[in-house]
Amino acid sequence: MYEIADVEQALRKAAPHQLVGVVEDALRKHCGARRVELRLADYGLRTLQPVERAPGAVPSVPIHDSPQGRAFGAQEPYVTHGSDAILIHLPVTVRGDRLGVLTVGLSPGSDVGAALPGLAQVCEALGHEILVAERDTDLYVLARRATRLTLAAEMQWQLLPGRSCTRPEFALGAHLEPAYAIFGDNYDWSVSAGRLTLTVTNGMGEGIEAALLTNLAINALRNARRAGLGLADQAALADQAVYAQYRGSAFVSVLLLSFDLATGEVEAVDAGSPRLWRLRGHSVESVSFEAQLPLGMFEDSPYVPERFTVLPGDRLLFGSDGVYAAVSPEGESYGERALARALSGTRLLPPTHVPQAVLRELAAYHGDTPLEDDALVVCLDWYGTPSTVAV
């Protein structure tokens, strides 16, 4: 259809706020596109918000009831036929992180099959350039919000690595609620050639104080990890940083895990309240660790790692206390039985869909009143490497 290298070069040369215009010009020139529109998923993963040149000119569309949402959810192109155009909705995704959907309108009678490979490459290039451009413009960050974020939520979302990540060995998905007013819960991950490090965090308090506390803990953990320290030493350094700042008046609960991508062996430090459940086959069980002190509660707390192994086909679900401690109108905690049912009931969904599905179940379980705490769910599907898969 056209040289994708030309489009990639044009995107790299474009001003950060002009990426959509560059793609539109290229597709009009090379395949006669009549319409090009980019939408990004909002923080709550409920709507796809237009990246607009004139704010307010184009309405958002729901993720769960629209052609664009169908492409976003299935992560496959979805084609609709109108009287004056063929609309192709394509997911824009970078390394498993679902950003949004690009819609391209072609003339009736166009060869959609021939156009799809090139359009998919354009979406891939566009996604990468959006992530780079976000360093220099607010355009794409603003497009993601359906309403205003609280300051605490702004701080937390800027701290996150993404909402999903995919590698041959695993797939991750995560979600936070209330998305526009989150304050203390957080997650972080980092992938190297042979290891995945994952942390799930629950900071005490509310509002800005909780966000500042969590920011300190996450950055202390990153600093230790990037210095090449082991998991226990990462926890110890972050513990010292939080204690030095708060002298025990505030602390952070965190579950730290380090996965060996080749063997599935996991090192874990349980420093507080986030919890882990495992779905293996049709069996759901809570994975318990020796409880150790939250980060910053006392000076120079020692941390000792524990070990377990994940197998290909395992699904791990991590939840903050806003999930398992939420209660039904009858007073039963969600984590006692309902979470196991939710994990079993979502076993056929991809891991990117599971956190939201569990949080919807949680909201229905809790009843009409709003949740009293942040709620964080992280889902990890473990595939393993070819050498670890049984034959």
Side-chain angles (χ1 to χ4, degrees):
M1 184 173 80
Y2 48 87
E3 291 294 332
I4 183 61
D6 294 341
V7 181
E8 291 176 337
Q9 186 176 32
L11 282 169
R12 285 194 294 270
K13 291 181 177 180
H17 62 284
Q18 293 179 336
L19 300 181
V20 180
V22 167
V23 169
E24 183 175 12
D25 291 344
L27 296 183
R28 287 186 187 278
K29 176 181 177 182
H30 293 292
C31 61
R34 295 183 170 187
R35 169 186 170 188
V36 175
E37 180 181 88
L38 174 65
R39 294 176 180 271
L40 299 180
D42 88 299
Y43 287 109
L45 287 176
R46 295 180 179 88
T47 60
L48 289 163
Q49 303 285 125
V51 177
E52 303 177 66
R53 298 172 186 173
V58 181
S60 63
V61 298
I63 284 179
H64 297 292
D65 188 25
S66 67
Q68 297 93 331
R70 185 163 178 172
F72 181 82
Q75 286 295 286
E76 294 180 353
Y78 183 70
V79 180
T80 58
H81 296 266
S83 59
D84 59 346
I86 300 173
L87 296 181
I88 308 175
H89 309 285
L90 304 109
V92 178
T93 301
V94 180
R95 295 190 177 95
D97 194 11
R98 303 177 299 162
L99 304 183
V101 173
L102 184 72
T103 296
V104 179
L106 301 180
S107 301
S110 297
D111 188 343
V112 173
L116 282 177
L119 291 175
Q121 288 182 289
V122 168
C123 288
E124 182 177 359
L126 176 60
H128 281 279
E129 291 302 320
I130 287 172
L131 295 185
V132 174
E134 284 184 339
R135 300 179 304 180
D136 302 311
T137 179
D138 285 338
L139 177 66
Y140 308 103
V141 174
L142 290 172
R144 289 191 176 97
R145 53 194 70 191
T147 188
R148 183 174 178 176
L149 293 172
T150 65
L151 178 55
E154 185 91 46
M155 294 168 66
Q156 295 293 60
W157 281 106
Q158 292 301 310
L159 193 62
L160 296 173
R163 281 189 291 215
S164 50
C165 178
T166 301
R167 281 276 300 262
E169 301 89 351
F170 67 86
L172 265 171
H175 194 58
L176 293 159
E177 286 290 351
Y180 290 85
I182 200 79
F183 40 80
D185 289 0
N186 209 286
Y187 57 85
D188 193 27
W189 59 64
S190 176
V191 189
S192 65
R195 190 161 293 277
L196 162 68
T197 302
L198 171 65
T199 60
V200 182
T201 307
N202 192 126
M204 68 174 292
E206 298 181 357
I208 297 299
E209 290 302 320
L212 287 169
L213 174 62
T214 302
N215 268 256
L216 174 60
I218 292 290
N219 279 294
L221 288 167
R222 287 175 176 173
N223 180 255
R225 185 185 72 226
R226 292 164 183 170
L229 300 182
L231 206 65
D233 289 333
Q234 292 175 33
L237 188 144
D239 171 67
Q240 293 168 17
V242 175
Y243 185 83
Q245 182 66 32
Y246 293 96
R247 312 305 296 181
S249 64
F251 51 85
V252 179
S253 298
V254 60
L255 179 61
L256 300 90
L257 301 107
S258 179
F259 295 78
D260 187 313
L261 298 181
T263 66
E265 294 182 358
V266 187
E267 191 176 57
V269 172
D270 182 359
S273 61
R275 296 188 186 179
L276 168 61
W277 291 262
R278 177 176 58 210
L279 173 64
R280 178 173 288 172
H282 293 282
S283 174
V284 176
E285 61 180 337
S286 175
V287 180
S288 300
F289 304 104
E290 180 183 347
Q292 302 183 64
L293 292 173
L295 306 184
M297 180 172 281
F298 298 105
E299 188 173 12
D300 296 328
S301 299
Y303 293 96
V304 179
E306 301 176 65
R307 289 172 174 80
F308 67 100
T309 301
V310 286
L311 302 178
D314 280 356
R315 168 167 285 180
L316 304 181
L317 191 81
F318 307 85
S320 65
D321 60 5
V323 176
Y324 66 79
V327 295
S328 69
E330 292 74 31
E332 182 181 8
S333 295
Y334 185 70
E336 292 178 7
R337 287 181 294 181
L339 186 56
R341 291 196 299 268
L343 188 51
S344 294
T346 58
R347 66 182 182 274
L348 299 180
L349 294 178
T352 51
H353 291 55
V354 171
Q356 253 201 316
V358 170
L359 289 170
R360 285 195 298 269
E361 290 271 349
L362 173 64
Y365 181 88
H366 186 64
D368 296 332
T369 58
L371 293 173
E372 297 176 358
D373 195 1
D374 293 354
L376 161 63
V377 175
V378 179
C379 181
L380 168 66
D381 277 8
W382 187 258
Y383 307 135
T385 59
S387 61
T388 64
V389 177
V391 296

